[in-house]
Amino acid sequence: MNSEEKFKNEILPKIPLRNEPPLPNNWLQIEMLERFKVLQFAGIKEGMNILEIGCGAHAISTVPLAYMVGETGRVVAVDLSRWTYFKEIIKSAGLWRRVIPMKIDAQNLPFPFKSFDLAVLIHGIRSLRNGETIVKVISEMLRVADEIFIAESLPIARTKGQETHLEMYNLREEIFEALYGRKDDLHYFQLEKLIEFVERAGGKIKECGTFEPNLPHFLAYIPREYAEKIRDTRKREILLKKWESACEKLQKYGEEHPPVGWIKAKE
């Protein structure tokens, strides 16, 4: 049995199913499996001390990370505010003793020197609001870890399902900007742009590449109510039409995960 099969058999069945329509009840397991797949490129070994930036409320990358470092390894999971289900999910996976959660700002990490074998940022670049913040966070990762590993979805569609995902996902930035005057998740960056961010932060690229998860990707969906609340009549009409078009394709083609770009770098 290979490592992916072990993870699927030993860990994913422990994660409770979720009742959050229109998402399927196993969406969290599918997202964790995708993270496990991309982390195969990170060079993680048992016993490693890993810093995870942006663990999020559902511990989607934390669970595979904690599994991969083994009983002698540790994952310091960092987030500023999103902790709603974190402890519950890590405990259900039986991995709580391997994880140290810390509520801190990744732009100002409280570690005075290199304290980690590896710092990772998995599907989190898009949540950092702007290029300046992205570079600052990566520079902090480089400062406190021997190596860093960054992975993010790419704006590439080779199938109708991938095209549908991108169309729905890209509405997030437009809708939230029209609704609140600020961006939510940014549009995906090309791999070349991700490399540029790392280099601007002072990183030297060791390896990089892309891979196809060959999995669904359900987290692009944004409920219609968000677009309905936009006060500007013209913007509301335009974005509702875009939402309806994306929703039709979603029902017809489903959502497939776009290719993922990954980067290994050091200071």
Side-chain angles (χ1 to χ4, degrees):
M1 188 183 297
N2 63 32
S3 59
E4 183 177 318
E5 290 300 317
K6 285 183 178 179
F7 179 71
K8 288 162 70 173
N9 291 332
E10 294 176 7
I11 298 298
L12 293 185
K14 297 179 182 178
I15 306 298
L17 298 174
R18 308 183 69 83
N19 182 25
E20 298 168 341
L23 299 174
N25 62 7
N26 66 337
W27 71 264
L28 187 53
Q29 286 86 342
I30 292 172
E31 294 295 329
M32 286 182 179
L33 179 58
E34 188 276 335
R35 297 334 187 253
F36 183 86
K37 284 174 174 280
V38 73
L39 285 166
Q40 300 303 303
F41 298 94
I44 295 171
K45 297 176 183 177
E46 288 193 13
M48 272 190 165
N49 188 28
I50 293 180
L51 173 68
E52 181 195 2
I53 301 296
C55 56
H58 295 91
I60 296 176
S61 297
T62 316
V63 167
L65 281 168
Y67 175 76
M68 293 168 80
V69 298
E71 292 184 4
T72 59
R74 290 295 178 271
V75 177
V76 175
V78 167
D79 210 301
L80 191 57
S81 58
R82 299 176 301 167
W83 296 98
T84 314
Y85 308 106
F86 185 87
K87 188 173 183 179
E88 169 194 336
I89 290 169
I90 294 291
K91 281 194 166 185
S92 70
L95 300 169
W96 183 245
R97 292 187 178 183
R98 304 180 189 183
V99 177
I100 302 170
M102 296 186 71
K103 186 177 181 179
I104 53 177
D105 186 348
Q107 295 182 78
N108 295 286
L109 297 171
F111 312 108
F113 41 74
K114 289 194 185 296
S115 308
F116 301 93
D117 300 304
L118 181 69
V120 303
L121 177 56
I122 311 298
H123 296 308
I125 290 281
R126 61 195 187 221
S127 300
L128 295 180
R129 305 301 172 112
N130 57 62
E132 182 181 343
T133 304
I134 292 168
V135 171
K136 177 59 176 172
V137 169
I138 295 173
S139 68
E140 281 289 272
M141 293 169 66
L142 288 161
R143 183 180 65 81
V144 303
D146 294 335
E147 290 186 357
I148 68 169
F149 180 79
I150 292 172
E152 186 57 88
S153 300
L154 301 175
I156 297 170
R158 299 190 175 107
T159 69
K160 287 291 186 182
Q162 291 173 342
E163 184 180 301
T164 299
H165 172 85
L166 292 176
E167 186 171 331
M168 179 62 81
Y169 175 80
N170 285 343
L171 284 174
R172 299 182 69 87
E173 182 177 307
E174 296 180 68
I175 288 174
F176 276 87
E177 199 159 21
L179 191 57
Y180 302 120
R182 59 171 175 79
K183 293 178 172 64
D184 187 55
D185 286 351
L186 301 171
H187 290 180
Y188 298 139
F189 295 102
Q190 295 285 356
L191 180 58
E192 292 77 13
K193 186 64 177 180
L194 297 175
I195 290 171
E196 180 188 320
F197 286 136
V198 173
E199 291 177 337
R200 281 175 56 193
K204 296 178 181 177
I205 308 299
K206 290 185 64 183
E207 295 178 69
C208 62
T210 64
F211 91 108
E212 292 272 4
N214 294 316
L215 289 168
H217 193 1
F218 303 106
L219 300 187
Y221 183 81
I222 182 168
R224 180 190 173 95
E225 302 89 82
Y226 283 93
E228 290 174 340
K229 292 176 183 177
I230 295 169
R231 292 184 179 180
D232 185 302
T233 304
R234 180 63 178 154
K235 285 183 180 178
R236 184 173 65 247
E237 289 176 354
I238 291 170
L239 288 170
L240 279 171
K241 284 182 180 178
K242 287 185 177 182
W243 185 91
E244 287 164 3
S245 171
C247 221
E248 280 182 23
K249 292 178 183 177
L250 190 69
Q251 293 171 2
K252 185 174 182 179
Y253 302 114
E255 285 187 86
E256 185 181 348
H257 208 299
V260 174
W262 58 269
I263 299 167
K264 288 180 71 175
K266 62 189 304 182
E267 197 173 29

